[in-house]
Amino acid sequence: MDFGYTPKVEDLRNRLRNFIDQHILPRVRQYNDEVNAGMFPVSFMEDLKALARSEGLWNLFLPHLEEDAPGTGLTNLEYAPLAEIMGRISWASEVFNCNAPDTGNMELLHMFATPAQRAQWLEPLLDGRIRSAFAMTEPDVASSDATNITTLIQRDGDDYVINGRKWFITNAAHPNCTLLIVMGKTDPDAATHQQQSMILVPRDTPGVEVVRNITVMNHHAPEGHCEIVFRQVRVPAGNLLGEAGSGFQLAQARLGPGRIHHCMRSIGAAELALELMTERAQERQAFGKYLHQHGVVAEWIAKSRIEIEQARLLVLKTAWMIDKLGAKAARKEIAMIKALVPSVHTTVCDRAIQTFGAMGLSPDTPLADHWTWGRALRFADGPDEVHLHSIANMEIRESRKTLGASAAYLTTPQRL
Ligand SMILES: Cc1cc2nc3c(=O)[nH]c(=O)nc-3n(C[C@H](O)[C@H](O)[C@H](O)COP(=O)(O)OP(=O)(O)OC[C@H]3O[C@@H](n4cnc5c(N)ncnc54)[C@H](O)[C@@H]3O)c2cc1C
């Protein structure tokens, strides 16, 4: 077993870190100022994207391109450490065209779109000319159980007509967001997992109303987590993605690699929080000692290091399993990282905030933003409890195959 990164990955890690140090870090303050002044996308984003593209740091997430252009794509295991580096700055991924939810949407289109759909939507997404959103969650039903979704996608002649209300739809406030991938029911009478379909809806279609950009813990995200109403939204039947009734299957296919990306970005954020905390603890003194000389702060540093290392190893193992065996075989691991990593992310950020004192809550560190996003990730792509539930189910199913096999280890006295 080799825990090192290959020379190819080391080279990409170095180039990515250099790019971020030279071109992104010096612009963090300007990004914040422009977003706070209501300017979005910020003035320099397109220039940075062009530069990243010219340096070959573009669409790094897309292992599937391997089929189209052998030798160009990265495996999930190769991409994971790059996502970690991008995760240190909340908006850096977009510079490399590697941000969610566009990445998951591009993967979906790459796997399931027709040639015409690819030309209309995938190519401009791969070029970074447009942005997209994925619209599944609804305010009126428990959406962690996607069989509850009520939005209707009804066939009417050569069209489909969509009616429903979605919320927390990430990216929908981005001015370049022109595509919504909407999940709804095409056949409410079919078997439970064959009722849903996905359909491609241009955001400017009449009847699509972005009602509001919902703040997350009072934090305004310029790209948006939006509430959207669909009233008699009519699109051509050719906009259906995949087969009618295949919505669940498509949703499953979209999620595996996306969870690796989210989790590795989280690990990047946690790693940065630990670095900041460790430096701060060596700079400030309270009650006659540096903060790290207080046992409790030393323990926070040590526990954070242990938790980050554990989490990173599990995510890398999961990436390796997806590459070798496919996302289906890695279902339990994918659920495990999703249930684990956002908590590690928030716990480490929380300790760093505490170490910084009140400054940790101010906009002068990235900690408050990173904490908020880590907390949000405990819901996005499904709440922790759903993943814990499926992990337990898989364990029970496995155990049933050999039920009683561990009885020999029990030393319970025989009852007379
Ligand atoms: C910042 C952010 C961005 C998001 N972006 C998107 C997006 O782009 N597109 C999109 O479609 N959605 C998005 N979401 C929505 C997210 O996917 C949903 O919030 C999530 O799936 C949970 O659905 P719900 O909010 O309806 O919670 P509910 O389904 O109402 O669940 C509420 C609670 O019930 C409990 N629960 C549910 N199931 C179980 C179970 N099996 N066992 C035990 N307890 C359980 C959990 O504690 C859960 O938190 C985003 C959410 C956030 C916070």
Side-chain angles (χ1 to χ4, degrees), residues 134 136-137 142-144 168-170 225 373 376 379 381 383 385-386:
F134 182 74
M136 190 185 78
T137 303
S143 302
S144 50
F168 283 94
I169 307 310
T170 302
H225 305 291
W373 185 239
F379 293 109
D381 278 1
E385 294 74 18
V386 169

Side-chain angles (χ1 to χ4, degrees), residues 100-101 132-146 148-149 166-172 181 183 214-216 221 224-226 254 372-373 375-390:
S132 62
F134 182 74
M136 190 185 78
T137 303
E138 299 180 359
D140 298 330
V141 292
S143 302
S144 50
D145 175 359
N148 286 336
I149 298 300
K166 303 285 185 183
W167 75 346
F168 283 94
I169 307 310
T170 302
N171 241 8
I181 302 184
M183 178 129 155
I214 305 167
T215 56
V216 173
H225 305 291
C226 297
R254 184 180 182 276
T372 305
W373 185 239
R375 188 68 187 82
L377 282 176
R378 293 187 56 199
F379 293 109
D381 278 1
D384 293 355
E385 294 74 18
V386 169
H387 302 296
L388 293 171
H389 192 230
S390 40

Side-chain angles (χ1 to χ4, degrees), residues 2 9 24 30 55 64 71 81 89 96 127 151 209 212 221 238 280 295 304 312 336 345 392 397:
D2 185 349
V9 172
I24 297 187
Q30 190 185 344
E55 295 196 9
H64 309 287
I89 296 175
F96 309 103
D127 281 346
T151 292
E209 185 192 349
R212 58 174 171 151
R280 178 77 165 183
S304 300
R312 186 189 288 110
M336 287 196 284
H345 177 160
R397 264 203 306 278

Side-chain angles (χ1 to χ4, degrees), residues 149-203:
I149 298 300
T150 58
T151 292
L152 284 179
I153 305 175
Q154 288 166 304
R155 186 74 191 236
D156 183 24
D158 291 337
D159 299 330
Y160 278 103
V161 177
I162 305 154
N163 283 288
R165 183 183 292 265
K166 303 285 185 183
W167 75 346
F168 283 94
I169 307 310
T170 302
N171 241 8
H174 196 302
N176 300 342
C177 177
T178 55
L179 171 65
L180 308 172
I181 302 184
V182 179
M183 178 129 155
K185 287 191 175 169
T186 35
D187 184 359
D189 300 322
T192 314
H193 292 96
Q194 268 124 47
Q195 299 175 3
Q196 299 78 7
S197 304
M198 287 188 197
I199 194 153
L200 307 174
V201 180
R203 194 181 62 170

